[in-house]
Amino acid sequence: MKRYILIMLFLFGYTIAGISQDDDKKGGRIEALKIAFLTRKLNLSSEEAQKFWPVYNKYADEIRKVQIEAHQNQTSEIDREDKILTIRKRFNGEFAKTLSNEKVNTFFRVEKEFNGFLQKEMMERRQQRLDNRARIRQK
């Protein structure tokens, strides 16, 4: 068990290390990290996974489109969040067709947990870069 955890932490850390790459690679690596995170937290059976991931991919595409559109059009935060909430409500029913209600609720909770983790990680990395630049300037 310790070996499994150690391997997961290593892979997790390795994936995080790649987050600072260019946008295309970053998006793919972040999505891969999110999928691994969700898979581990949801503990899906093979039957559940076969039904869940296609629905999740549609959900993620719609969320991504709203975020890109909001960024390009400089949409207000409230409008962006409202559109995302509408998508989440609609997909709540879709996910309920593939998972138990408990796992659907867990999915939405874990997704928020991952987003918080990602935001924290990116802020820490940004701060490290700023600290490194400051040290270089002092020399």
Side-chain angles (χ1 to χ4, degrees):
M1 184 65 172
K2 287 182 183 180
R3 187 177 201 177
Y4 174 74
I5 291 172
L6 186 61
I7 290 170
M8 288 300 292
L9 287 174
F10 174 75
L11 291 174
F12 195 70
Y14 180 75
T15 305
I16 289 294
I19 286 178
S20 62
Q21 299 297 321
D22 63 34
D23 287 344
D24 288 339
K25 290 181 182 177
K26 182 170 76 171
R29 288 184 180 180
I30 290 173
E31 190 63 25
L33 182 61
K34 185 175 185 177
I35 288 169
F37 191 83
L38 290 172
T39 299
R40 191 178 79 240
K41 293 286 189 164
L42 290 176
N43 194 24
L44 300 175
S45 69
S46 59
E47 300 88 38
E48 288 173 325
Q50 283 182 326
K51 294 176 184 176
F52 172 77
W53 289 114
V55 176
Y56 170 80
N57 290 334
K58 290 177 189 174
Y59 166 80
D61 286 344
E62 288 194 32
I63 296 288
R64 193 175 303 110
K65 285 177 188 174
V66 166
Q67 291 173 335
I68 290 169
E69 179 184 302
H71 179 72
Q72 289 174 341
N73 299 333
Q74 296 181 343
T75 304
S76 74
E77 183 70 14
I78 291 175
D79 289 341
R80 184 181 69 83
E81 288 294 326
D82 186 48
K83 287 178 182 179
I84 289 173
L85 180 60
T86 301
I87 292 168
R88 289 174 62 129
K89 285 179 179 179
R90 183 164 37 89
F91 274 89
N92 184 53
E94 295 295 316
F95 287 130
K97 293 176 185 175
T98 64
L99 302 175
S100 68
N101 286 335
E102 182 181 333
K103 283 193 178 183
V104 172
N105 288 331
T106 300
F107 163 72
F108 286 115
R109 185 178 38 79
V110 167
E111 183 184 41
K112 280 185 178 182
E113 183 181 324
F114 176 81
N115 291 337
F117 160 78
L118 183 63
Q119 186 175 25
K120 179 182 174 198
E121 182 70 26
M122 291 178 80
M123 294 206 38
E124 287 174 1
R125 287 176 178 269
R126 184 175 295 130
Q127 187 60 47
Q128 286 176 348
R129 281 195 309 270
L130 292 173
D131 292 346
N132 288 341
R133 288 179 187 157
R135 270 188 257 132
I136 290 171
R137 288 184 187 138
Q138 290 176 348
K139 291 181 180 181

